[in-house]
Amino acid sequence: MFAVHLMAFYCSKLKEDQIKKVDRFLYHMRLSDETLLDIMARFQAEMQKGLGKDTNPTASVKMLPTFVRAIPDGSENGEFLSLDLGGSKFRVLKVQVSEEGKRNVQMESQFYPTPNEIIRGNGSELFDYVADCLADFMKTKGLKHKKLPLGLTFSFPCRQTKLEEGILLSWTKKFKARGVQGTDVVSCLTKAIKKHKDIDVDILALVNDTVGTMMTCAYDDPYCEVGVIIGTGTNACYMEDMSNIDLVEGDEGRMCINTEWGAFGDDGALEDIRTEFDRELDLGSLNPGKQLFEKMISGLYLGELVRIILLKMAKAGLLFGGEKSSALHTKGKIETRHVAAMEKYKEGLANTREILTDLGLEPSEADCIAVQHVCTIVSFRSANLCAAALAAILTRLRENKKLARLRTTVGMDGTLYKIHPQYPKRLHKVVRRLVPNCDVRFLLSESGSTKGAAMVTAVASRVQAQRKQIDKVLALFRLTREQLMDVQSKMRTEFEYGLKKDTHLMATVKMLPTYVCGTPDGTEKGKFLALDLGGTNFRVLLVKIRSGRRSVQMYNKIFTIPLEIMQGTGEELFDHIVQCIADFLDYMGLKGAQLPLGFTFSFPCRQTSIDKGTLIEWTKGFKATDCEGEDMVDMLREAIKRRNEFDLDIVALVNDTVGTMMTCGHEDPNCEIGLIAGTGSNMCYMEEMRNIELVEGDEGKMCINTEWGAFGDNGCIDDIWTQYDKKVNEGSLNPGKQRYEKMTSGMYLGEIVRQILIDLTKQGLLFRGQISERLQTRGIFETKFLSQIESDRLALLQVRRILQQLGLDSTCEDSIVVKEVCGAVSRRAAQLYGAGLAAVVEKRRQDQGLEYLKITVGVDGTLYKLHPHFSRILQETVKELAPRCDVTFMLSEDGSGKGAALITAVAKRLQQAQKED
């Protein structure tokens, strides 16, 4: 028993001694967590350098855009071919992807050898050989009669400008084919395939093997957004935000970046980490000074690194009693498979003895323990370095998403990762230690990068088909110059119909005379009351105007109009209004003052004088009885009489659009047009009296309230009316009416977007084909969301958050499409406004017989003020359709309040002038 204990102690002591000896010799290869965090920070800096346009040329980590913009979503289907060139074998694969409610992939493949004379010979011979193998495979599988899309996995650094093109930057591993560097490998292969007249193949995607790995795993796990290969070579890719990629145009969405991390340290960034053994290995390699990070990690080099260390230790008398064999002196005699075998848990020592014996050495027990520990240190360092770079990528992903904690999956492949018994466990452990705020799942890629190339091709096919369908929908909202000119021309025709006595009753654009016959000239002064009724809130204002300095002071109070009053009797509504006026006069201490009053009444009225207006019809939810067909000023006067507390001089009944024009006209005498682009849509302008047949007299000008929201109610713009506009119209309170307004105003744009989103979801193009209950709710998509979503400052992440608030669980790709839909709908609205406005400015220019017109438009409304692009597109459209008009746009401040007071002031001034005449 004692002998057994003694033997165990001896073995344990022997092992401990050998391990200490090796640890001392390989001290620099053991990396602390502090060092790994430092390497992680260095790699993050290199990534940033590679992504920047100015810094990329000098960056060692090239961060190559792959033009892979989407991962599989499970709806891919079809038959695809895939080629994998880059390792010790060349593989051709046929992949059948079927949807059938579950992700299903069937594969048939064949391996072909890659002889040295081919991979190190002439480039054209290499591609001819690949094409021959492809033709052989298609013949064997009976595929010669089919036209098939193909994905090419090409495991070498390429600069891509699109998915189906790649310029080879440099060969790596053992490849050295001449005349390929600097050329497009897809063109080279296409040329070779064309020599085979009996096969028809369309190369849709050039994919790096790392990207292939990520895509393969992403098909099984949608959280997968990183791919890592640790095999013959090593590399990583991940999904980066487009806004961070300077090398590619556009900020929307994400794109897979092939880091080419094998070259990390080629600029000297890892000199303090590299050892004498690394330097010796590098000098003896095919590409000295290149791929220095890869040479410390990958399967092509680990065995050789172990051999160099063992030879040095033997020379120093630390192994094999100082004896060396010729095999130990021979490059490549120890391979990575040997390293993996020597590190096996139980049979490792026996394997070590066998391998060393095969090398012509006579190892002792102590030698075998020491050699096994050398392998452990070399492979552990490899896992540590990989973990540090991967941790940098995971940190970047987390920071891009602005998350405190990241949940993600890393797709893994490569022979070293697969065959080495301890490697995966070591790598996972170190990664989790370096990034404790990331929950990482490691998923082994099945069928590796070749299936991945087919998946990229399948996704490219899906995206291509989906893009066609989405473009088909968006094309309905893209108006050509000819269509806009047609709208301009038809609007002009409707103006003429509305102004003429004979055609006025048939006209859709009513061209209502407002009896406002002048704009402010700066001499207006005094105190005025203004009322503003146009929605659920009612305002009473006191406006003080001083002459000369064009200064205006306002005091106002807001009162609500309850629903029962809005939809009760007319008498109740006007009694409520008078009650509000009384409260305001009390509040301001003006009970006895008889002030001139302007009444902003934002509903269609037919006026016969400035202080008379018959309500044509209620809009905006008002339904008060006994009002339509009645004079609104008379109804207000009667309500004041009923109260019998005060008397007011009601001078003017005003539309809010006219108020907007007058407010801006107070500051700019050139302002002769008012435009509202908000919840509703309307325009007014100063027209020559001689053109207004509905009003007596030919002298001077009068403001016309166009009520252009009804343009198109006669079907004249049905050619640009889409199925989505029809749906919005059918679901509205006034079907068949206000068609132009329904295509342009804030009240309806969000609803048009919602209808498009429902249709795209039904087609399976959005939200994984799932129509949420919220999306089916009318009015859920408010126009303010369009303004937010289209904001240039808003990242897609924030767009996704807005959609989540609406109960829409969107992917990054969904968010891009939603943003495009919002853009198409708001752009069309702004262009239609522009076409209508171009009609009126051209009319004013021609009426005045001018070669060139300079005019100002006063604008109000939330859509114009708050939408990030609306005002610009509207202005550009006017400029394009009315090139001989110099139009200035001026934002109105409180047109409905201040404007009403100014109209009252101008009316009083004109009345005074008439009296004096």
Side-chain angles (χ1 to χ4, degrees):
M1 192 67 182
F2 175 71
V4 173
H5 279 299
L6 193 63
M7 192 61 192
F9 173 75
Y10 168 74
C11 290
S12 167
K13 186 83 173 72
L14 178 69
K15 191 171 184 180
E16 195 182 312
D17 290 346
Q18 293 306 309
I19 286 172
K20 279 181 181 171
K21 176 176 74 176
V22 172
D23 281 347
R24 279 195 300 273
F25 193 76
L26 299 181
Y27 172 76
H28 285 298
M29 292 187 105
R30 296 179 70 90
L31 305 172
S32 67
D33 278 5
E34 195 182 343
T35 305
L36 293 177
L37 287 166
D38 181 37
I39 292 168
M40 182 177 151
R42 292 184 211 182
F43 188 70
Q44 278 177 300
E46 283 298 323
M47 288 167 80
Q48 193 59 45
K49 207 172 161 187
L51 288 169
K53 203 171 196 170
D54 300 335
T55 47
N56 176 273
T58 58
S60 57
V61 179
K62 282 298 175 197
M63 303 295 280
L64 304 169
T66 64
F67 294 83
V68 171
R69 293 170 187 263
I71 59 171
D73 68 358
S75 67
E76 294 76 16
N77 60 60
E79 223 172 7
F80 306 93
L81 287 171
S82 181
L83 301 179
D84 186 359
L85 183 66
S88 45
K89 288 176 184 170
F90 161 59
R91 188 182 184 197
V92 187
L93 190 80
K94 185 197 96 168
V95 181
Q96 177 79 45
V97 183
S98 54
E99 198 179 347
E100 299 167 2
K102 60 182 190 294
R103 298 170 182 237
N104 186 11
V105 178
Q106 291 173 319
M107 296 184 292
E108 294 176 62
S109 71
Q110 194 169 326
F111 285 98
Y112 293 90
T114 47
N116 270 341
E117 63 272 17
I118 292 287
I119 65 173
R120 293 187 185 181
N122 191 296
S124 57
E125 287 169 12
L126 169 65
F127 288 106
D128 284 344
Y129 174 73
V130 172
D132 293 345
C133 295
L134 175 65
D136 173 70
F137 178 81
M138 290 181 79
K139 184 182 175 184
T140 309
K141 302 294 177 189
L143 299 170
K144 286 205 165 183
H145 60 287
K146 289 186 177 179
K147 180 178 174 70
L148 292 172
L150 179 140
L152 168 63
T153 301
F154 191 72
S155 315
F156 306 96
C158 285
R159 187 170 305 287
Q160 288 185 260
T161 50
K162 47 190 174 190
L163 187 58
E164 68 280 13
E165 176 188 288
I167 309 298
L168 177 67
L169 297 177
S170 62
W171 288 114
T172 57
K173 292 166 265 196
K174 292 181 178 177
F175 281 69
K176 272 281 188 190
R178 296 185 300 278
V180 185
Q181 217 163 307
T183 63
D184 173 22
V185 292
V186 175
S187 298
C188 296
L189 181 58
T190 305
K191 201 170 160 187
I193 289 171
K194 278 185 177 164
K195 293 177 186 175
H196 294 267
K197 305 290 180 199
D198 51 348
I199 63 171
D200 191 0
V201 169
D202 189 10
I203 304 175
L204 280 193
L206 173 75
V207 184
N208 177 280
D209 55 347
T210 324
V211 181
T213 296
M214 182 188 80
M215 293 297 268
T216 301
C217 294
Y219 188 68
D220 299 318
D221 181 347
Y223 280 99
C224 183
E225 48 192 348
V226 183
V228 176
I229 289 197
I230 312 165
T232 313
T234 183
N235 195 11
C237 69
Y238 72 102
M239 296 301 287
E240 176 61 85
D241 289 0
M242 279 290 288
S243 54
N244 296 330
I245 309 170
D246 285 356
L247 304 166
V248 179
E249 288 291 314
D251 281 347
E252 302 300 344
R254 301 200 300 166
M255 183 183 284
C256 181
I257 289 289
N258 164 22
T259 64
E260 287 297 337
W261 77 9
F264 177 36
D266 286 7
D267 58 355
L270 295 175
E271 280 314 294
D272 55 329
I273 306 296
R274 291 175 73 225
T275 64
E276 58 179 299
F277 318 115
D278 297 309
R279 291 187 178 92
E280 188 171 325
L281 178 140
D282 178 45
L283 285 171
S285 68
L286 283 170
N287 53 351
K290 303 268 176 75
Q291 301 293 103
L292 299 183
F293 191 59
E294 182 170 79
K295 285 170 185 169
M296 293 192 270
I297 290 173
S298 79
L300 188 61
Y301 304 102
L302 286 200
E304 182 59 11
L305 209 47
V306 167
R307 184 192 71 81
I308 290 168
I309 293 166
L310 297 187
L311 184 59
K312 293 238 178 199
M313 287 183 79
K315 281 180 179 174
L318 297 171
L319 280 179
F320 319 125
E323 293 296 320
K324 305 169 288 291
S325 65
S326 62
L328 192 59
H329 276 98
T330 308
K331 187 181 165 190
K333 277 293 181 183
I334 298 179
E335 295 172 25
T336 298
R337 65 188 171 93
H338 297 135
V339 176
M342 289 191 269
E343 282 195 73
K344 276 200 173 160
Y345 178 56
K346 281 182 180 168
E347 61 263 42
L349 275 176
N351 290 343
T352 305
R353 183 176 292 281
E354 192 183 319
I355 289 160
L356 294 173
T357 306
D358 287 348
L359 288 171
L361 297 161
E362 293 176 13
S364 64
E365 187 73 17
D367 289 335
C368 292
I369 291 167
V371 170
Q372 190 182 42
H373 193 53
V374 168
C375 293
T376 299
I377 287 176
V378 169
S379 62
F380 216 128
R381 183 185 69 156
S382 165
N384 276 338
L385 289 170
C386 247
L390 179 54
I393 289 174
L394 295 172
T395 301
R396 187 171 179 89
L397 277 176
R398 186 180 61 76
E399 287 171 355
N400 280 352
K401 294 182 181 191
K402 297 180 172 61
L403 295 173
R405 191 162 195 85
L406 174 73
R407 177 189 171 187
T408 193
T409 298
V410 178
M412 300 295 303
D413 202 359
T415 45
L416 179 57
Y417 183 84
K418 283 178 174 175
I419 66 163
H420 192 290
Q422 319 295 335
Y423 202 98
K425 193 168 60 185
R426 289 170 184 165
L427 177 77
H428 304 171
K429 198 173 175 182
V430 179
V431 168
R432 287 177 180 131
R433 211 164 62 229
L434 294 176
V435 279
N437 47 5
C438 296
D439 298 319
V440 191
R441 178 188 180 209
F442 291 87
L443 184 60
L444 188 61
S445 161
E446 288 175 40
S447 318
S449 49
T450 327
K451 175 182 166 186
M455 291 319 308
V456 173
T457 310
V459 170
S461 296
R462 165 177 66 80
V463 169
Q464 219 173 54
Q466 288 177 340
R467 191 68 252 174
K468 270 184 191 164
Q469 287 171 278
I470 291 163
D471 283 345
K472 198 174 165 187
V473 170
L474 296 183
L476 300 171
F477 292 84
R478 291 192 188 109
L479 301 177
T480 62
R481 190 170 193 273
E482 288 65 36
Q483 285 174 311
L484 289 168
M485 285 168 74
D486 188 45
V487 170
Q488 179 186 7
S489 165
K490 284 171 178 171
M491 182 70 88
R492 176 73 183 267
T493 303
E494 287 296 318
F495 288 165
E496 304 300 344
Y497 281 167
L499 288 169
K500 287 187 166 51
K501 221 172 196 166
D502 299 344
T503 49
H504 176 79
L505 289 175
M506 295 149 35
T508 55
V509 180
K510 284 298 174 197
M511 306 296 279
L512 304 171
T514 65
Y515 294 85
V516 172
C517 296
T519 54
D521 66 1
T523 63
E524 296 78 15
K525 62 179 180 184
K527 287 181 186 176
F528 303 88
L529 270 183
L531 310 180
D532 177 13
L533 180 69
T536 50
N537 287 337
F538 169 63
R539 281 193 311 158
V540 187
L541 303 95
L542 174 68
V543 183
K544 294 180 181 177
I545 303 171
R546 290 185 197 166
S547 66
R549 288 181 298 166
R550 295 182 182 255
S551 113
V552 176
Q553 277 181 305
M554 292 191 294
Y555 309 89
N556 75 79
K557 202 161 188 222
I558 296 170
F559 302 89
T560 56
I561 298 189
L563 190 65
E564 63 271 18
I565 299 281
M566 283 168 70
Q567 299 184 355
T569 67
E571 202 169 282
E572 286 168 342
L573 173 64
F574 280 94
D575 283 348
H576 178 76
I577 286 170
V578 171
Q579 173 68 55
C580 297
I581 297 169
D583 288 352
F584 179 76
L585 292 173
D586 261 353
Y587 171 72
M588 295 298 295
L590 294 167
K591 207 56 184 267
Q594 192 179 7
L595 296 171
L597 181 144
F599 185 9
T600 298
F601 188 76
S602 306
F603 302 93
C605 282
R606 182 166 280 107
Q607 288 186 255
T608 51
S609 68
I610 195 163
D611 62 348
K612 287 200 173 299
T614 305
L615 176 64
I616 296 171
E617 63 179 332
W618 283 118
T619 56
K620 305 174 199 173
F622 276 74
K623 286 269 170 51
T625 56
D626 308 321
C627 291
E628 290 177 3
E630 298 296 325
D631 182 350
M632 294 298 98
V633 177
D634 284 350
M635 288 191 81
L636 179 59
R637 282 182 179 137
E638 282 163 25
I640 291 170
K641 265 186 204 161
R642 276 196 299 276
R643 190 167 184 97
N644 199 24
E645 271 183 30
F646 52 84
D647 198 13
L648 296 169
D649 176 14
I650 304 170
V651 175
L653 183 73
V654 183
N655 177 279
D656 57 345
T657 321
V658 183
T660 296
M661 179 188 79
M662 294 299 268
T663 302
C664 294
H666 185 240
E667 290 179 45
D668 181 349
N670 261 341
C671 183
E672 290 200 342
I673 299 174
L675 181 71
I676 298 276
T679 312
S681 169
N682 198 13
M683 186 271 295
C684 71
Y685 72 102
M686 296 303 288
E687 177 61 273
E688 304 298 326
M689 280 291 290
R690 65 175 184 271
N691 295 332
I692 309 169
E693 292 185 5
L694 303 169
V695 180
E696 292 294 312
D698 283 350
E699 293 303 315
K701 291 188 276 193
M702 182 184 287
C703 180
I704 291 291
N705 166 23
T706 64
E707 288 294 340
W708 76 0
F711 173 52
D713 286 4
N714 59 0
C716 70
I717 52 172
D718 277 7
D719 57 319
I720 58 169
W721 217 44
T722 69
Q723 67 200 70
Y724 309 106
D725 296 307
K726 285 173 191 161
K727 282 233 169 79
V728 169
N729 176 52
E730 285 160 14
S732 69
L733 288 169
N734 53 352
K737 296 194 175 164
Q738 301 294 102
R739 287 196 185 185
Y740 182 67
E741 182 169 80
K742 284 171 187 168
M743 294 168 84
T744 56
S745 80
M747 192 167 179
Y748 300 100
L749 297 192
E751 191 54 20
I752 298 171
V753 168
R754 188 181 73 87
Q755 291 296 344
I756 298 169
L757 298 187
I758 288 173
D759 186 38
L760 293 178
T761 309
K762 279 180 183 170
Q763 292 183 53
L765 304 171
L766 272 182
F767 311 130
R768 302 175 184 88
Q770 304 294 311
I771 299 179
S772 69
E773 205 175 315
R774 292 291 298 278
L775 191 56
Q776 290 176 352
T777 311
R778 194 172 175 275
I780 185 73
F781 210 99
E782 294 171 46
T783 299
K784 69 172 182 182
F785 294 128
L786 266 79
S787 299
Q788 290 170 5
I789 285 169
E790 287 189 70
S791 167
D792 293 331
R793 296 191 301 276
L794 212 60
L796 278 180
L797 208 63
Q798 289 156 297
V799 174
R800 284 177 77 177
R801 285 202 189 115
I802 292 168
L803 295 174
Q804 276 163 0
Q805 285 167 23
L806 296 171
L808 304 172
D809 183 21
S810 71
T811 63
C812 187
E813 287 70 40
D814 290 340
S815 303
I816 293 170
V817 174
V818 171
K819 198 166 182 176
E820 282 185 86
V821 170
C822 291
V825 170
S826 61
R827 182 177 184 80
R828 182 190 69 163
Q831 287 179 317
L832 287 173
Y833 258 104
L837 203 53
V840 78
V841 294
E842 267 299 305
K843 175 175 172 37
R844 292 300 296 128
R845 185 185 68 78
Q846 288 168 15
D847 283 352
Q848 292 172 66
L850 297 171
E851 186 63 32
Y852 198 76
L853 172 74
K854 194 172 171 59
I855 196 165
T856 298
V857 178
V859 198
D860 202 354
T862 47
L863 191 57
Y864 187 91
K865 284 177 173 176
L866 301 179
H867 191 283
H869 310 299
F870 191 91
S871 56
R872 174 182 54 79
I873 295 164
L874 189 158
Q875 290 171 28
E876 284 169 358
T877 308
V878 173
K879 201 170 185 178
E880 189 180 353
L881 299 181
R884 287 191 280 176
C885 299
D886 179 7
V887 184
T888 302
F889 289 82
M890 184 177 187
L891 271 180
S892 157
E893 285 177 45
D894 195 19
S896 46
K898 184 174 161 184
L902 284 162
I903 290 168
T904 308
V906 170
K908 290 298 272 182
R909 172 170 60 79
L910 294 176
Q911 279 171 14
Q912 192 62 37
Q914 274 177 336
K915 276 180 193 170
E916 286 168 9
D917 285 347

